[in-house]
Amino acid sequence: MDNGSSNRENDGENDGAADQWPLLPDWMWDCADCVRLYEEMRHVQAEVAGLTAEDASVDWDFTDSVLGTQIRLGRHLADAHAELLPPWDPGCGTCAERQESLVKAEGRPDWMPAAVMNAEEHRARHLFVPPRLLRLL
């Protein structure tokens, strides 16, 4: 099944592909929450870019805006569409780290829910952020 994820962290590092926003899979456009959260994320990103382009001294907390909207979209995808998330990407270092976290959390009921959510949110991000940004979360 094609889930829309063909991005790898190292793909296209020299040709700009690592900075390209992926095309969303068709099923995401069928979910009103996916569309709303994706549009919110892109809107905040454009606002931040516009503010800082006008005045480089604008004090804008990037982590509270762009990353926050990415986390909300990733959490929605992990909660509502877990069966449609892309598989682990063998070329992604963060995927490997999340898989290690899952192994470490085995037998630890206090750790497992957070490890699973972090892993699924990261896999979800493969659907909607450029490969270079996958390293951030």
Side-chain angles (χ1 to χ4, degrees):
M1 165 174 56
D2 178 18
N3 54 25
S5 176
S6 61
N7 297 317
R8 291 198 176 146
E9 280 185 316
N10 297 322
D11 285 353
E13 287 286 332
N14 296 325
D15 66 4
D19 294 320
Q20 295 296 313
W21 290 84
L23 294 175
L24 299 181
D26 291 340
W27 59 263
M28 281 183 69
W29 295 111
D30 293 334
C31 172
D33 288 331
C34 285
V35 172
R36 178 182 54 79
L37 291 165
Y38 180 76
E39 288 176 350
E40 177 183 304
M41 178 192 70
R42 294 307 300 253
H43 173 75
V44 167
Q45 179 188 8
E47 269 189 39
V48 170
L51 285 172
T52 55
E54 290 175 16
D55 182 358
S57 68
V58 169
D59 184 18
W60 189 268
D61 190 345
F62 183 79
T63 59
D64 283 343
S65 56
V66 176
L67 289 179
T69 60
Q70 288 181 13
I71 291 168
R72 284 191 293 280
L73 177 54
R75 172 87 31 108
H76 164 72
L77 290 165
D79 286 341
H81 307 291
E83 73 283 357
L84 298 172
L85 296 180
W88 296 110
D89 183 340
C92 174
T94 306
C95 279
E97 290 171 10
R98 296 298 181 264
Q99 287 175 296
E100 289 174 22
S101 293
L102 289 170
V103 170
K104 289 177 184 176
E106 286 180 12
R108 298 286 310 261
D110 53 331
W111 289 11
M112 188 54 82
V116 169
M117 183 55 70
N118 287 334
E120 289 183 349
E121 286 176 4
H122 173 73
R123 287 176 43 220
R125 292 181 79 244
H126 278 269
L127 296 170
F128 63 88
V129 299
R132 190 177 315 268
L133 295 182
L134 289 171
R135 298 177 189 143
L136 299 177
L137 291 173

